Amino acid sequence: MKQVISLSYGEVALKGGNRKYFVDKLMKNLKQALRGYETDRIYQDRTKFYIECPSEIADEVYEQARKVFGFVVSSRAVVYEKDPEKLADQALEYVSAILEKDPSIRSFKFEAKRNDKKYPMKSMEINPFLGGIILKKFEHLHVDVHNPDLLVRVDIRNAIYFYSQKEKAAGGLPIGTTGRSVLLLSGGIDSPVAGHMMAKRGVELVAVNFNSYPFTSERSDEKVLDLARKMIPYIGSIDVHQVNILPIQKAIRMNCPEKEMTILSRRFMMRIAERIAKEQSAGSLITGESLGQVASQTMEGLHATNSAVSMPVFRPLIGMDKTEIIEIAQRIDTFETSILPFDDCCMVFLPKHPVTHPKLGQIEHSESVLDVEALLDEVMESRKIVTIKKDR
Amino acid sequence: MMIMNYMDHAATTPVRAEVIEAMTEMMKSQYGNPSSLHRMGLQAEHALDTARDQIASFLSCKVEQIVFTSGGTEGNNLGMRGFLPIELPENSNLCIGSVEHSSVFQVAKELERRGVECRLLPVDIHGRIIMEEAVKRIDANTILVSIQHVNNEIGGIQPIEILSKQIRKAAPKAHFHVDGVQAIGKIPVSMKTLDVDSYAFSGHKINATKGIGALYLKDPKASRPILWGSKQERGLRPGTENVPAIVGLGVAVEKLNQEFGAHQAVYIKNRNALLHAIETELDQTLVNTPLSLEEAAPHIVSVSFAGVKSEIVLHMLEMKEIYVSTGSACSSRAKGNRILAEMGIASKWLDGTLRISYGWELGPEKIEELVAALIEAVGEVRELTMR
């Protein structure tokens, strides 16, 4: 019995003339995600993807493969040579192995699907044929078409695949098929989730993280890199641009109203992100903002920060509650890292009474005393880029 | 390139050349297992004996009273737990200082979970145990008292001799353990004058390596191990001895024995220069370390700056290759500073506290460099945050 991992794509199949492009990208992403694993073969059989690998690493490979965006369903299957003469023996071998593992099974059902229409038996003929073989061999079993203990799926393609369980996979679209975007990545809970959600829609991410060293510690930067590492099983790799915005924060602090500190800083962060986006041929920005969550995330606050840039800004969490965001963070395994206690640059110079309903005109007026372009040039000068990718 | 100015010796110290040399030799050519029957084993055993001699001589105790450990934490664990009966007596209590290091505090908390009442001995503003309060808490049901000799955050010295007399009188059955990690090499330590039952110290605070330490036991036969295995260290600390590190520890102690006076002179000179500069050149500061050298070890100065988050200053100094601490390295990453809060230091100072701990090898120019950098950093932070 040769075990394989099977993956089916969903939306990708609907992309009409672009289908080949999407499928090729999916294959490329899958291969990249499995780099470092000693897989024997990664191939397509008609509309599904299959992975053959040594059984010792099969569980690990399966978990990694189903995290690749673009696949909707995953399963563990057994593959056989397509020979109608051998079908009965193959079914017997497959079912025997399952019964050995789970002797409590009493009822079963076959569900054949003929992807290869040239196969001599039709699906409706295969089901009763194989059912009869199993009933004759295992007297304690009976057929239950509504609620069987064991559902055996028989998938007839260029080869024949038997499987019983299937699971939901990561879904979405293959990364890289919908463009590139700059994610404003902090050390908090929200931004990794926002990045994850956009990556799921096929976006290739570039991250920018802001620090205020020496007002923040190098350990905070490390924490953000750790967070980026946690995102890797889904996104493959990511460049993190580290920008020290202390000169900007100092200038705001010395020249602008204290209560506008956060909004003004965020306007600069957006501008820096946009600069990086242009340089990296990215077409949008992503933030983890959620309406009303903190003082700067009011409608007026968002308008004030949004107005500093002209690129589209995606905020996939805008309508979500904190608890919903946390649920996703836990599922994608970024939560534990996010809650480690280290200051990020937003906490430095945190105003005592931040303005919650800033008027854009007033904000722009306060900002007019600053030499925006010169400050941006200054902080971009010291930018560092760290590439995070799978370490094996 | 800037030359490094390392002022965090209370966290750890550089390993001195003589130690590296001795350890390298052990690793290169005398790598036998002391338990082996052949000559190489015997050589290694002799190396252990020499180190034990060096330490016993430094502490004025017998060689059989010294057990090698992996460092301060293990020494404190074995010292505190090794003497406890398997069944802890009912209604018993233990007393520890309220400003103890985690490796004592957490042992006490574990014993508390096992039913022993844990009593904290309060300290005054200099971190010194208040005797009148201690007397009220140590009684006939006290089975264990554990006190640090020198505080790791501010350098305050605890009155071990006075406490010991009080313990012997009020709680004759109690085991008295002392955490000497910050005291060794910094103040005179002699088991002849200190009437204690166990005393732990660590190698990496005295220019030996991390992962090695020693524990003095007044009556080793009365102690049980906390790890189980073979018969090394007379069964009290099973596991193949870390011979190179033990040899290194012996050499470090031997050098301390010879240079103690010279080190004191450097520490005191540095301390005076630093305290003077803080008083005259920096405003709105609070020195947490006791000023009298009878009450404080000379290698630590703890100072708080109003209106400053000290971690920012720490990173600004780090940019100039000057390394200090915001508190003990073991607690500075935890929330708030438990130790200084226990001493009753007002909260406005807590966030602005730096611990400066210099080594005996640092000259006065290093203090000048530190002070200049401090003035600049504190000024810059205040200008931005105190507007």
Side-chain angles (χ1 to χ4, degrees):
Chain A
M1 283 207 308
K2 191 192 269 178
Q3 308 270 354
V4 288
I5 291 163
S6 139
L7 299 157
S8 330
Y9 47 79
E11 277 179 80
V12 174
L14 307 174
K15 296 289 171 184
N18 283 329
R19 196 180 133 193
K20 186 178 170 345
Y21 168 70
F22 278 85
V23 170
D24 286 352
K25 194 82 188 166
L26 194 52
M27 179 58 103
K28 202 176 147 218
N29 290 355
L30 177 64
K31 282 185 172 161
Q32 192 167 351
L34 297 181
R35 208 161 52 193
Y37 291 109
E38 307 250 323
T39 52
D40 299 322
R41 197 152 79 101
I42 301 174
Y43 65 97
Q44 270 180 271
D45 187 346
R46 293 165 184 252
T47 55
K48 280 193 186 177
F49 284 64
Y50 293 93
I51 305 160
E52 288 175 15
C53 66
S55 58
E56 312 89 74
I57 58 167
D59 288 352
E60 224 180 299
V61 168
Y62 177 69
E63 284 311 320
Q64 173 60 66
R66 56 194 291 265
K67 288 190 171 96
V68 174
F69 292 125
F71 292 116
V72 248
V73 172
S74 61
S75 61
R76 308 289 288 268
V78 169
V79 59
Y80 287 111
E81 174 195 357
K82 189 168 62 180
D83 180 348
E85 297 289 314
K86 294 181 180 164
L87 184 65
D89 286 342
Q90 292 165 345
L92 266 177
E93 186 183 59
Y94 180 76
V95 171
S96 304
I98 290 183
L99 289 177
E100 205 168 291
K101 269 192 211 149
D102 185 357
S104 71
I105 291 171
R106 290 290 172 270
S107 60
F108 72 97
K109 170 192 174 183
F110 275 95
E111 204 174 272
K113 215 165 135 189
R114 199 174 51 144
N115 205 285
D116 170 15
K117 299 296 177 198
K118 288 190 197 124
Y119 192 76
M121 275 171 108
K122 287 183 181 148
S123 305
M124 283 307 156
E125 295 164 5
I126 295 172
N127 293 337
F129 167 67
L130 291 181
I133 302 272
I134 297 300
L135 282 174
K136 209 193 275 175
K137 171 88 181 179
F138 301 102
E139 287 181 349
H140 68 291
L141 297 186
H142 63 273
V143 173
D144 182 344
V145 291
H146 300 296
N147 197 16
D149 294 342
L150 172 65
L151 170 60
V152 183
R153 295 182 165 96
V154 185
D155 203 0
I156 298 167
R157 295 171 178 265
N158 294 336
I160 292 194
Y161 302 87
F162 283 78
Y163 64 103
S164 52
Q165 310 275 349
K166 56 179 183 180
E167 287 183 275
K168 224 175 121 193
L173 297 169
I175 284 181
T177 55
T178 57
R180 189 178 291 162
S181 189
V182 171
L183 167 68
L184 283 83
L185 181 65
S186 72
I189 297 166
D190 303 340
S191 52
V193 174
H196 177 90
M197 289 176 73
M198 294 311 297
K200 182 177 170 185
R201 293 309 299 165
V203 173
E204 184 189 341
L205 301 177
V206 174
V208 56
N209 171 246
F210 302 103
N211 67 74
S212 311
Y213 185 80
F215 280 60
T216 54
S217 89
E218 286 175 4
R219 284 202 164 87
S220 313
D221 305 348
E222 281 301 313
K223 175 184 160 178
V224 173
L225 297 181
D226 285 343
L227 261 184
R229 270 179 209 111
K230 286 282 192 181
M231 297 172 73
I232 292 303
Y234 291 95
I235 63 174
S237 73
I238 189 168
D239 277 356
V240 181
H241 294 239
Q242 300 174 317
V243 182
N244 185 337
I245 56 165
L246 185 61
I248 293 173
Q249 289 173 310
K250 278 183 180 172
I252 298 172
R253 178 78 196 186
M254 303 304 277
N255 299 295
C256 306
E258 192 215 1
K259 62 180 182 176
E260 294 170 8
M261 182 78 212
T262 310
I263 291 285
L264 289 168
S265 302
R266 288 197 70 87
R267 281 170 62 85
F268 275 92
M269 293 181 197
M270 299 294 272
R271 288 188 181 107
I272 294 164
E274 191 177 52
R275 272 204 183 191
I276 292 171
K278 283 178 181 157
E279 168 201 289
Q280 301 287 319
S281 315
S284 62
L285 310 180
I286 302 167
T287 75
E289 288 157 319
S290 151
L291 191 63
Q293 197 187 92
V294 292
S296 64
Q297 295 177 19
T298 60
M299 214 173 279
E300 296 87 342
L302 293 172
H303 179 49
T305 50
N306 207 94
S307 302
V309 292
S310 57
M311 263 187 195
V313 180
F314 295 134
R315 299 179 177 85
L317 313 185
I318 196 71
M320 292 175 73
D321 294 348
K322 196 76 186 181
T323 49
E324 295 172 302
I325 299 169
I326 288 174
E327 268 172 40
I328 300 177
Q330 283 170 329
R331 182 163 56 74
I332 66 174
D333 198 27
T334 53
F335 183 70
E336 294 298 324
T337 308
S338 287
I339 57 173
L340 293 174
F342 283 114
D343 287 1
D344 66 30
C345 65
C346 297
M347 306 198 188
V348 185
F349 309 120
L350 204 63
K352 281 194 191 77
H353 304 287
V355 54
T356 50
H357 300 284
K359 292 205 167 57
L360 182 59
Q362 165 61 34
I363 294 291
E364 284 172 342
H365 174 73
S366 304
E367 200 177 72
S368 65
V369 299
L370 304 174
D371 186 345
V372 173
E373 291 303 309
L375 283 167
L376 290 175
D377 290 343
E378 185 186 345
V379 300
M380 285 299 284
E381 189 98 333
S382 61
R383 169 204 29 191
K384 288 180 207 144
I385 304 174
V386 182
T387 300
I388 303 289
K389 54 185 174 195
K390 239 172 106 172
D391 45 11
R392 50 185 290 166
Chain B
M1 206 194 104
M2 279 174 284
I3 297 169
M4 195 173 67
N5 188 352
Y6 182 76
M7 294 265 182
D8 199 12
H9 285 69
T12 193
T13 57
V15 180
R16 61 187 295 167
E18 299 89 335
V19 171
I20 296 175
E21 203 181 312
M23 288 179 69
T24 308
E25 173 61 19
M26 292 307 293
M27 290 187 276
K28 271 188 182 161
S29 49
Q30 299 192 45
Y31 44 80
N33 185 328
S35 302
S36 294
L37 297 177
H38 48 63
R39 192 187 308 137
M40 295 252 320
L42 192 63
Q43 270 177 355
E45 196 187 319
H46 285 159
L48 292 187
D49 292 343
T50 305
R52 213 184 299 273
D53 268 342
Q54 288 163 324
I55 292 163
S57 139
F58 183 64
L59 293 178
S60 310
C61 66
K62 296 182 196 134
V63 284
E64 54 269 26
Q65 289 175 315
I66 298 297
V67 175
F68 292 114
T69 65
S70 64
T73 295
E74 190 191 333
N76 285 333
N77 268 267
L78 181 56
M80 290 173 74
R81 289 159 55 203
F83 286 86
L84 293 177
I86 296 171
E87 293 287 328
L88 295 171
E90 268 183 45
N91 300 321
S92 56
N93 68 72
L94 65 88
C95 296
I96 63 168
S98 63
V99 294
E100 295 300 314
H101 185 265
S102 312
S103 60
V104 167
F105 190 73
Q106 293 301 335
V107 174
K109 286 284 146 196
E110 170 59 18
L111 292 172
E112 189 177 38
R113 285 188 282 273
R114 290 168 54 190
V116 183
E117 186 194 344
C118 175
R119 298 178 179 173
L120 293 183
L121 307 183
V123 295
D124 63 18
I125 195 92
H126 293 311
R128 213 174 142 88
I129 286 181
I130 305 165
M131 282 310 297
E132 303 87 84
E133 295 296 324
V135 167
K136 287 182 206 159
R137 287 166 176 79
I138 300 167
D139 60 28
N141 290 325
T142 303
I143 55 170
L144 169 69
V145 180
S146 185
I147 305 289
Q148 63 192 177
H149 200 169
V150 168
N151 181 269
N152 52 315
E153 303 262 353
I154 63 160
I157 302 174
Q158 297 296 359
I160 299 297
E161 292 93 333
I162 304 172
L163 269 162
S164 160
K165 284 197 186 97
Q166 179 58 34
I167 293 162
R168 303 305 182 207
K169 196 169 78 187
K173 283 186 207 150
H175 177 88
F176 184 26
H177 174 74
V178 171
D179 166 7
V181 167
Q182 292 292 348
I184 291 285
K186 313 306 187 317
I187 60 171
V189 175
S190 161
M191 294 307 127
K192 273 202 183 118
T193 52
L194 293 178
D195 178 20
V196 303
D197 297 311
S198 53
Y199 191 100
F201 73 95
S202 159
H204 76 103
K205 311 283 192 190
I206 53 169
N207 308 97
T209 53
K210 292 159 189 73
I212 195 67
L215 176 69
Y216 158 84
L217 295 169
K218 186 190 224 172
D219 182 6
K221 288 202 182 72
S223 180
R224 290 156 44 79
I226 53 173
L227 297 171
W228 300 89
S230 308
K231 287 283 172 200
Q232 290 92 346
E233 299 297 287
R234 282 149 284 124
L236 285 177
R237 211 296 185 168
T240 302
E241 299 88 341
N242 186 352
V243 182
I246 290 171
V247 166
L249 181 66
V251 170
V253 166
E254 175 81 11
K255 297 307 284 182
L256 263 186
N257 217 350
Q258 296 161 3
E259 299 170 2
F260 188 83
H263 291 185
Q264 286 291 305
V266 176
Y267 288 138
I268 292 169
K269 203 168 160 192
N270 284 340
R271 176 185 153 100
N272 289 343
L274 182 55
L275 287 174
H276 178 75
I278 291 169
E279 201 193 318
T280 55
E281 296 178 57
L282 283 152
D283 56 354
Q284 298 188 70
T285 57
L286 174 73
V287 173
N288 304 305
T289 302
L291 294 176
S292 154
L293 276 173
E294 278 167 25
E295 291 178 3
H299 68 303
I300 295 177
V301 169
S302 166
V303 57
S304 301
F305 303 91
V308 170
K309 216 179 143 219
S310 54
E311 189 180 336
I312 300 172
V313 176
L314 177 148
H315 293 308
M316 290 171 92
L317 296 182
E318 152 192 278
M319 290 170 83
K320 297 182 171 166
E321 298 278 335
I322 301 173
Y323 297 94
V324 297
S325 165
T326 56
S328 87
C330 304
S331 69
S332 57
R333 284 166 77 180
K335 196 105 185 118
N337 191 319
R338 170 175 67 85
I339 305 293
L340 293 176
E342 281 291 341
M343 287 165 42
I345 307 265
S347 59
K348 78 160 184 169
W349 299 105
L350 290 182
D351 269 355
T353 303
L354 283 183
R355 178 186 71 178
I356 298 151
S357 50
Y358 29 81
W360 48 265
E361 68 276 40
L362 293 186
E365 76 283 358
K366 294 289 183 190
I367 297 288
E368 280 167 32
E369 188 186 299
L370 167 73
V371 170
L374 259 183
I375 292 170
E376 194 186 322
V378 170
E380 197 180 329
V381 176
R382 279 184 180 156
E383 194 191 346
L384 284 167
T385 55
M386 285 177 92
R387 291 178 75 229

